[in-house]
Amino acid sequence: MKKKAVYPGTFDPVTYGHIDLIKRAVKIFDEVIVAVADNAAKNPLLSTSERVDLLKRAVRGMKNVKVESFSELMVDYVESKKINVVLRGLRMISDFEYEFQMALTNRKLNGNIEVIFMMPNELYSFLSSKLIKEVEVIGAELSQFLPFFVEKKLKDKLKEQLKRSKK
Amino acid sequence: MKKKAVYPGTFDPVTYGHIDLIKRAVKIFDEVIVAVADNAAKNPLLSTSERVDLLKRAVRGMKNVKVESFSELMVDYVESKKINVVLRGLRMISDFEYEFQMALTNRKLNGNIEVIFMMPNELYSFLSSKLIKEVEVIGAELSQFLPFFVEKKLKDKLKEQLKRSKK
Amino acid sequence: MKKKAVYPGTFDPVTYGHIDLIKRAVKIFDEVIVAVADNAAKNPLLSTSERVDLLKRAVRGMKNVKVESFSELMVDYVESKKINVVLRGLRMISDFEYEFQMALTNRKLNGNIEVIFMMPNELYSFLSSKLIKEVEVIGAELSQFLPFFVEKKLKDKLKEQLKRSKK
Amino acid sequence: MKKKAVYPGTFDPVTYGHIDLIKRAVKIFDEVIVAVADNAAKNPLLSTSERVDLLKRAVRGMKNVKVESFSELMVDYVESKKINVVLRGLRMISDFEYEFQMALTNRKLNGNIEVIFMMPNELYSFLSSKLIKEVEVIGAELSQFLPFFVEKKLKDKLKEQLKRSKK
Amino acid sequence: MKKKAVYPGTFDPVTYGHIDLIKRAVKIFDEVIVAVADNAAKNPLLSTSERVDLLKRAVRGMKNVKVESFSELMVDYVESKKINVVLRGLRMISDFEYEFQMALTNRKLNGNIEVIFMMPNELYSFLSSKLIKEVEVIGAELSQFLPFFVEKKLKDKLKEQLKRSKK
Amino acid sequence: MKKKAVYPGTFDPVTYGHIDLIKRAVKIFDEVIVAVADNAAKNPLLSTSERVDLLKRAVRGMKNVKVESFSELMVDYVESKKINVVLRGLRMISDFEYEFQMALTNRKLNGNIEVIFMMPNELYSFLSSKLIKEVEVIGAELSQFLPFFVEKKLKDKLKEQLKRSKK
């Protein structure tokens, strides 16, 4: 039977850290489904469909990787796909506690699903979608952190947002 | 003389973790006052009176527990009650640093008041009011985390909020 | 192809936390090899063969679980078995940093091997072989932490050690 | 050649912790430039010019200290001044992770600039501009945390804000 | 009924941090029993009776404080005194995790006993008996950390140890 | 006046992480003195003179770097050189707490000396002399972690030690 894993997240936007993790996951699982959370509550900069599109371009050519979005409870989404493994990246301690709490909460909601954690390359251990947006990136050179088409989209969005906030 | 302790918090909403802590506290102190902070600044989901009501139902039948709210500086409230012990729960390291900073700041504001920390049952060590609200709980089964009447109130509120945000 | 994972450790002695993790792992992998490190340097209380024996009894009846010991470099051992997944448990932050450093060091030694982390049941999140030995367990009731035959062996060993140190 | 360092931050508002760090820095460097980030995105309580003014008063009489503001990318600002040392304070672990991530991100953006970290006096290790604003400080006695003119400005601002929010 | 608490520890040697905590505890409890662990396994520098003696001198004149030693399982000792509160100091995160594990382990061994945590004055937040012994203290001026008679005893012991190791 | 800094440590053995830090330090200071602690108490694998020799070879060709050893109290050594800056590397949170405690302790012993912290390249953030010795390195390929002559010395020492322990 094929071993599948779901890698859920906000991916706002996808970084080389996420891509590194996906590459590691396909060495272990027969199929990896990258699942973009349609969580308007987190107020993402990019829309769900934009995040899905960027991810699809980012994993183009990688075998056994699918990109989807979901809007239901994460454990319900995973169960509906008949998958029992959820994958999350761990970079730093602040990740760890949040991930721990979330994983234990999810385990209570659905005890069949196991969360496994993997570490990205240490080159990306400091990389965070949130931080990148904080660095006032419009003028910065981000090619070490993001694929060029993600960088372009991100800067366009931030410029738009800036214009709107100045009105 | 009766030994009293104040257990202040936002309780937005009260969880089984809080209730577990209250039960532990009444084994040590002659009276425990659960004090709901009327802090509009934190933008709670439930109003102060709703949070007080849910807590009152949650501690019904427990001896030596009172529920109140306060809007002044916490140390001033505690002093006005002629109490010198403040109780806080510690679950995880992220709690720890915030609690530490807050306790030291409060100690500077009023050196007579001591903060003591207690740990909930490990079953609730991952439980957080904040997380519960993040899990998109409307569809989830939360009876392991919250008394049923808290769960109902929380879901009603979240549905209301959702409706409003869709308008 | 069968998906296999190695779960290496000192297991001095095996606890219910380890056993919980093994049960979770066999839900994900087709075979799990529990690998006892023959690391005299860590100065374990139980000999390698004692630790292997206790583990074998502890997993009796569990399908797809093997117990072995190894004395070479961990990554060399794993590679010699043609396996590319190493499993480790994560309970607390102090685990996290050590595991992180060790995993990154091992990744440098052999880039083909991926370490994945899983969380035990929160009931065992505080449980540590080291702590159990520290608690001066000879007189304590340990049946919540350890299978009875592990408890017995541990106490026998500690009594022996005590006798020797008194001479 | 004169050794200079830039100490960037939001300083919303400056506390005795920041001032302690500046005093330590001038013992090491020939000139310290305190650089207020003009980051509207962080939504500071005090305007950039108010934060610069308070800092100027706070360092009055200290030799070799300048106060400026900047609105470009931090590493670009520092490079434009032909300085290669950035100074940051470290108080607690939550600082540490954020600072670490930020410093590594900045190092990628400009590899010539080194971040060095210093510790304030332990009396100020718990002190945080953010926390002070949270403590509902209007009624509190803050002279242990802030110079009196900073305290006054802060309270005036908070009262204004409160009035506006009540309308 | 009198509220009593046990404050167990190794106290090798007692520092101003411990003394500060005892002073805080007697403001909350009617009696505080400082209990020196007779744990030869930890290989303390000072003997149990030396540690008891130094503590007795350190708390001389403080009302409602007793000093004892114990050699049984800590929870058994506490229960034998018919006390249900154990007090521990929390300074730093490394404390936190160890204390957490230990407290949860003890709670399993005896569910009637509650551990409460208190924070010493921030002046002593960095102070550790272990560190003091590491600093190669023989030549150092330690009067900020320890009562003078503790300092003297500690240095005498370290000199003795040094002599023995040179033979 | 020349700005000097002391970089003290055990260096048992020196790694590329230490060397990276020294390179960063000489960009900031006019002279960096790498100071090997002659702390027999820590029971190092390599003798003080071996550690000094390896460091000297490792920094060969780097301008403005000196290597020395010291056996007195660290703050006394630094003061005797009329230097007021001590440099330490920070990689991970476990470093952070220990370094914090040590720096605050040293500040009490000598208030004129400031400790500054720098971060190594993230490639070395996981690298630890202690861990390298734990990995049972005799058979491992360590050229990514250590200069070849350090690797050789380390393996020779470990082999010797192994032989002795087998007798």
Side-chain angles (χ1 to χ4, degrees):
Chain A
M1 216 188 83
K2 281 174 86 175
K3 297 278 174 198
K4 297 180 182 186
V6 169
Y7 176 26
T10 306
F11 303 103
D12 185 41
V14 58
T15 69
Y16 280 135
H18 301 124
I19 297 170
D20 180 77
L21 213 79
I22 296 169
K23 283 182 188 159
R24 294 179 186 281
V26 291
K27 296 197 295 180
I28 299 181
F29 296 98
D30 298 314
E31 188 176 311
V32 173
I33 298 174
V34 185
V36 177
D38 181 21
N39 45 355
K42 280 206 175 175
N43 204 15
L45 179 71
L46 302 168
S47 73
T48 305
S49 69
E50 286 170 324
R51 288 177 279 142
V52 168
D53 286 349
L54 292 174
L55 264 165
K56 280 188 176 167
R57 292 185 66 179
V59 303
R60 191 163 291 167
M62 293 174 64
K63 274 188 190 165
N64 306 321
V65 179
K66 272 191 199 163
V67 180
E68 296 187 356
S69 69
F70 68 99
S71 54
E72 60 268 60
L73 208 54
M74 193 266 278
V75 290
D76 291 347
Y77 163 71
V78 174
E79 185 158 58
S80 74
K81 313 216 55 109
K82 304 204 185 309
I83 297 181
N84 71 340
V85 183
V86 165
L87 177 69
R88 294 285 296 164
L90 270 189
R91 291 159 310 172
M92 294 215 150
I93 284 194
S94 40
D95 284 340
F96 174 73
E97 289 233 310
Y98 178 80
E99 291 296 333
F100 221 63
Q101 285 190 294
M102 195 49 107
L104 284 169
T105 301
N106 282 326
R107 189 180 276 172
K108 293 290 170 192
L109 296 175
N110 186 330
N112 297 321
I113 294 173
E114 285 299 325
V115 180
I116 67 170
F117 298 101
M118 297 179 73
M119 286 183 315
N121 190 301
E122 74 273 16
L123 284 170
Y124 307 122
S125 68
F126 62 89
L127 194 50
S128 130
S129 298
K130 186 163 165 284
L131 209 69
I132 281 183
K133 285 178 285 186
E134 267 187 33
V135 180
E136 305 202 5
V137 292
I138 292 173
E141 164 59 59
L142 300 177
S143 61
Q144 300 163 91
F145 305 143
L146 305 166
F148 72 95
F149 53 87
V150 178
E151 180 177 359
K152 192 176 171 315
K153 184 78 190 179
L154 180 66
K155 288 183 173 176
D156 287 351
K157 270 276 164 160
L158 286 167
K159 276 180 205 159
E160 243 176 69
Q161 205 183 45
L162 204 69
K163 246 188 243 167
R164 234 175 304 134
S165 76
K166 280 185 175 158
K167 277 181 192 169
Chain B
M1 216 187 84
K2 280 174 87 173
K3 296 278 174 197
K4 298 180 182 186
V6 169
Y7 176 26
T10 305
F11 303 102
D12 185 40
V14 59
T15 69
Y16 280 134
H18 301 123
I19 297 169
D20 179 78
L21 213 78
I22 296 169
K23 283 182 189 158
R24 294 178 186 282
V26 290
K27 295 198 295 182
I28 300 181
F29 296 98
D30 299 313
E31 186 176 313
V32 174
I33 299 174
V34 184
V36 177
D38 180 21
N39 45 355
K42 281 208 175 171
N43 206 15
L45 180 72
L46 302 167
S47 73
T48 304
S49 69
E50 287 171 324
R51 288 177 280 142
V52 168
D53 285 349
L54 292 174
L55 264 165
K56 281 188 175 164
R57 294 185 64 180
V59 304
R60 191 163 292 166
M62 292 174 64
K63 272 188 191 165
N64 306 321
V65 179
K66 271 189 200 165
V67 181
E68 296 187 355
S69 68
F70 67 100
S71 54
E72 61 268 61
L73 207 53
M74 192 266 278
V75 290
D76 291 347
Y77 163 72
V78 175
E79 186 159 57
S80 74
K81 312 217 55 111
K82 304 202 187 311
I83 297 180
N84 71 339
V85 183
V86 165
L87 177 68
R88 295 285 295 163
L90 270 189
R91 292 159 309 173
M92 294 217 150
I93 285 194
S94 40
D95 284 341
F96 175 72
E97 289 233 310
Y98 178 81
E99 292 296 333
F100 221 63
Q101 285 190 294
M102 194 49 107
L104 284 169
T105 302
N106 282 327
R107 189 181 277 171
K108 292 292 170 190
L109 295 174
N110 187 329
N112 297 322
I113 295 172
E114 285 299 326
V115 180
I116 67 170
F117 298 101
M118 296 180 73
M119 286 183 316
N121 191 302
E122 74 274 15
L123 284 171
Y124 307 123
S125 68
F126 61 91
L127 193 51
S128 131
S129 298
K130 186 163 165 286
L131 209 69
I132 281 183
K133 286 176 286 185
E134 267 186 35
V135 180
E136 306 202 5
V137 292
I138 292 173
E141 165 57 59
L142 300 177
S143 62
Q144 300 163 91
F145 306 144
L146 305 165
F148 73 96
F149 53 87
V150 178
E151 180 177 359
K152 191 175 172 317
K153 184 79 189 177
L154 180 66
K155 288 183 174 179
D156 288 351
K157 270 275 164 162
L158 286 167
K159 276 180 206 161
E160 243 177 69
Q161 206 184 43
L162 204 68
K163 246 189 242 169
R164 234 176 303 131
S165 76
K166 280 186 178 159
K167 277 181 192 168
Chain C
M1 218 186 85
K2 280 175 86 173
K3 297 279 173 195
K4 298 181 181 185
V6 169
Y7 176 28
T10 305
F11 304 103
D12 184 41
V14 59
T15 69
Y16 280 133
H18 300 123
I19 297 170
D20 178 78
L21 212 78
I22 296 168
K23 283 182 190 160
R24 294 178 187 282
V26 290
K27 295 197 295 180
I28 300 181
F29 296 98
D30 298 313
E31 187 175 314
V32 174
I33 299 173
V34 185
V36 177
D38 181 20
N39 45 354
K42 281 208 175 170
N43 205 15
L45 180 71
L46 302 167
S47 74
T48 304
S49 70
E50 287 170 324
R51 289 177 280 142
V52 167
D53 285 350
L54 292 174
L55 263 165
K56 280 188 176 166
R57 294 184 64 180
V59 305
R60 191 164 291 166
M62 292 174 63
K63 274 187 191 166
N64 306 321
V65 180
K66 273 189 199 165
V67 181
E68 298 188 353
S69 69
F70 68 99
S71 54
E72 61 268 60
L73 207 55
M74 192 267 277
V75 290
D76 291 347
Y77 163 70
V78 175
E79 184 158 57
S80 74
K81 312 215 59 105
K82 304 204 187 310
I83 296 181
N84 71 339
V85 184
V86 165
L87 178 67
R88 296 285 294 164
L90 270 189
R91 291 158 311 172
M92 293 217 152
I93 285 195
S94 41
D95 284 341
F96 175 72
E97 289 233 310
Y98 178 81
E99 291 296 333
F100 221 64
Q101 286 190 292
M102 196 47 108
L104 283 169
T105 302
N106 282 326
R107 188 181 278 173
K108 293 288 170 194
L109 295 174
N110 186 329
N112 297 321
I113 294 173
E114 285 299 325
V115 180
I116 67 169
F117 299 100
M118 295 180 74
M119 286 182 317
N121 190 302
E122 74 273 15
L123 284 170
Y124 306 123
S125 67
F126 62 91
L127 193 52
S128 130
S129 298
K130 186 164 166 284
L131 209 69
I132 280 182
K133 285 176 285 186
E134 267 186 33
V135 181
E136 306 205 3
V137 292
I138 290 172
E141 164 59 59
L142 300 177
S143 62
Q144 302 163 88
F145 306 143
L146 304 166
F148 74 94
F149 54 88
V150 178
E151 181 177 357
K152 189 175 175 317
K153 184 79 189 178
L154 181 66
K155 289 183 174 178
D156 288 351
K157 271 274 164 161
L158 286 167
K159 275 180 207 159
E160 244 177 67
Q161 206 184 43
L162 204 68
K163 245 188 244 168
R164 233 174 306 131
S165 76
K166 278 184 178 158
K167 276 180 193 169
Chain D
M1 217 188 84
K2 281 174 85 176
K3 296 279 173 197
K4 298 181 181 184
V6 169
Y7 177 26
T10 305
F11 304 103
D12 185 40
V14 58
T15 69
Y16 281 134
H18 300 124
I19 298 170
D20 179 78
L21 212 79
I22 296 169
K23 283 181 189 159
R24 295 178 186 281
V26 291
K27 295 197 295 180
I28 300 180
F29 296 97
D30 298 314
E31 188 176 312
V32 174
I33 299 174
V34 185
V36 177
D38 181 20
N39 45 354
K42 281 208 174 170
N43 205 14
L45 180 71
L46 302 168
S47 72
T48 305
S49 69
E50 287 170 324
R51 288 177 280 142
V52 167
D53 285 349
L54 292 174
L55 264 166
K56 280 187 175 165
R57 293 185 66 180
V59 303
R60 193 164 289 168
M62 291 174 64
K63 274 188 189 166
N64 306 321
V65 179
K66 271 190 199 164
V67 181
E68 295 187 356
S69 69
F70 68 99
S71 54
E72 61 268 60
L73 208 53
M74 192 265 277
V75 290
D76 291 348
Y77 162 72
V78 175
E79 186 158 56
S80 74
K81 315 219 53 112
K82 303 200 186 312
I83 297 179
N84 71 341
V85 184
V86 165
L87 177 69
R88 295 285 294 165
L90 270 189
R91 290 160 310 174
M92 293 216 151
I93 284 194
S94 41
D95 284 342
F96 175 73
E97 289 234 309
Y98 178 81
E99 291 296 333
F100 220 64
Q101 286 190 293
M102 195 48 108
L104 283 170
T105 302
N106 282 326
R107 189 181 277 173
K108 292 291 170 189
L109 295 175
N110 186 330
N112 297 320
I113 295 172
E114 285 298 326
V115 180
I116 67 169
F117 299 101
M118 297 179 72
M119 286 182 316
N121 191 302
E122 74 274 15
L123 284 170
Y124 307 122
S125 67
F126 62 91
L127 193 51
S128 131
S129 298
K130 186 164 165 285
L131 209 68
I132 281 183
K133 286 176 286 185
E134 265 185 36
V135 181
E136 306 203 5
V137 293
I138 291 174
E141 165 57 60
L142 300 177
S143 62
Q144 299 163 88
F145 306 144
L146 303 166
F148 73 95
F149 53 87
V150 177
E151 181 176 359
K152 190 175 173 318
K153 183 81 190 178
L154 180 66
K155 288 184 174 179
D156 288 351
K157 270 275 164 162
L158 286 168
K159 276 179 206 161
E160 245 176 69
Q161 205 183 43
L162 204 68
K163 247 189 242 169
R164 235 176 302 133
S165 75
K166 280 184 178 162
K167 277 182 191 170
Chain E
M1 215 185 86
K2 279 176 89 176
K3 297 277 172 196
K4 298 180 181 186
V6 169
Y7 176 27
T10 305
F11 303 102
D12 184 41
V14 58
T15 69
Y16 280 134
H18 301 124
I19 298 170
D20 179 78
L21 213 78
I22 296 168
K23 283 183 189 159
R24 294 177 187 282
V26 290
K27 295 197 295 180
I28 299 181
F29 296 98
D30 297 314
E31 187 175 312
V32 174
I33 299 174
V34 185
V36 177
D38 181 21
N39 44 355
K42 281 208 175 173
N43 205 15
L45 180 72
L46 303 166
S47 73
T48 303
S49 70
E50 286 170 324
R51 289 178 280 142
V52 167
D53 286 349
L54 291 175
L55 263 166
K56 281 188 175 163
R57 293 184 65 182
V59 304
R60 189 164 293 167
M62 291 174 64
K63 273 188 190 164
N64 306 320
V65 179
K66 272 190 199 165
V67 181
E68 297 188 353
S69 69
F70 68 100
S71 54
E72 61 268 59
L73 206 55
M74 193 265 278
V75 290
D76 291 346
Y77 163 71
V78 175
E79 184 157 57
S80 75
K81 312 216 56 111
K82 304 201 186 312
I83 297 181
N84 69 340
V85 184
V86 166
L87 177 69
R88 295 285 294 165
L90 269 189
R91 293 158 311 172
M92 294 215 152
I93 285 192
S94 40
D95 284 340
F96 175 73
E97 290 234 310
Y98 178 80
E99 291 296 333
F100 221 63
Q101 286 190 294
M102 195 48 109
L104 284 169
T105 301
N106 282 326
R107 188 181 279 172
K108 293 289 170 192
L109 295 174
N110 187 329
N112 297 322
I113 295 173
E114 286 298 325
V115 181
I116 67 170
F117 299 100
M118 296 180 72
M119 287 182 314
N121 190 301
E122 74 273 16
L123 284 170
Y124 307 123
S125 67
F126 61 92
L127 194 51
S128 130
S129 298
K130 186 163 165 286
L131 208 69
I132 281 182
K133 285 176 285 185
E134 267 186 34
V135 182
E136 306 203 5
V137 293
I138 292 173
E141 164 58 60
L142 299 178
S143 63
Q144 300 162 87
F145 306 143
L146 305 165
F148 74 95
F149 53 87
V150 179
E151 180 177 358
K152 191 177 172 316
K153 184 79 189 178
L154 180 66
K155 288 183 175 179
D156 288 351
K157 269 277 164 159
L158 286 168
K159 276 180 207 159
E160 244 177 68
Q161 204 184 44
L162 204 68
K163 247 188 243 168
R164 235 175 305 131
S165 75
K166 279 185 179 159
K167 274 180 195 170
Chain F
M1 215 187 86
K2 280 175 88 175
K3 298 278 173 196
K4 297 181 181 185
V6 168
Y7 176 28
T10 306
F11 304 102
D12 186 41
V14 58
T15 69
Y16 281 134
H18 301 123
I19 298 170
D20 179 79
L21 213 79
I22 297 169
K23 283 182 188 159
R24 294 178 187 281
V26 289
K27 295 198 294 180
I28 299 181
F29 296 98
D30 298 314
E31 188 175 312
V32 173
I33 299 173
V34 185
V36 177
D38 181 21
N39 44 356
K42 281 207 175 173
N43 206 14
L45 180 72
L46 303 166
S47 73
T48 304
S49 69
E50 286 171 324
R51 288 177 280 143
V52 167
D53 286 349
L54 291 174
L55 263 166
K56 281 188 176 165
R57 292 185 65 181
V59 304
R60 191 164 293 165
M62 292 175 63
K63 274 188 190 164
N64 306 320
V65 179
K66 273 189 198 164
V67 180
E68 298 186 353
S69 69
F70 68 99
S71 54
E72 60 268 59
L73 207 55
M74 193 268 276
V75 291
D76 291 347
Y77 163 71
V78 174
E79 184 158 58
S80 74
K81 314 219 51 113
K82 304 202 186 312
I83 296 181
N84 71 340
V85 184
V86 165
L87 178 68
R88 294 285 296 163
L90 270 189
R91 291 158 310 172
M92 294 215 152
I93 284 194
S94 40
D95 284 340
F96 175 73
E97 290 234 310
Y98 178 80
E99 291 296 333
F100 221 64
Q101 284 191 295
M102 195 48 108
L104 283 169
T105 302
N106 282 326
R107 189 181 277 173
K108 293 289 170 193
L109 296 174
N110 186 328
N112 297 321
I113 293 173
E114 284 299 324
V115 180
I116 67 170
F117 299 101
M118 295 179 73
M119 286 183 315
N121 191 301
E122 74 274 15
L123 284 170
Y124 307 123
S125 66
F126 61 92
L127 194 52
S128 130
S129 298
K130 185 162 165 288
L131 207 69
I132 280 182
K133 285 176 287 186
E134 266 186 35
V135 181
E136 306 203 6
V137 292
I138 292 173
E141 163 60 58
L142 299 177
S143 62
Q144 301 163 88
F145 306 144
L146 304 166
F148 73 96
F149 53 86
V150 178
E151 181 177 359
K152 192 177 172 315
K153 184 80 189 179
L154 180 65
K155 289 183 174 178
D156 288 352
K157 270 276 163 159
L158 287 168
K159 276 180 207 160
E160 247 176 66
Q161 207 184 43
L162 204 68
K163 247 188 243 168
R164 234 175 304 133
S165 74
K166 280 187 178 158
K167 276 181 195 169

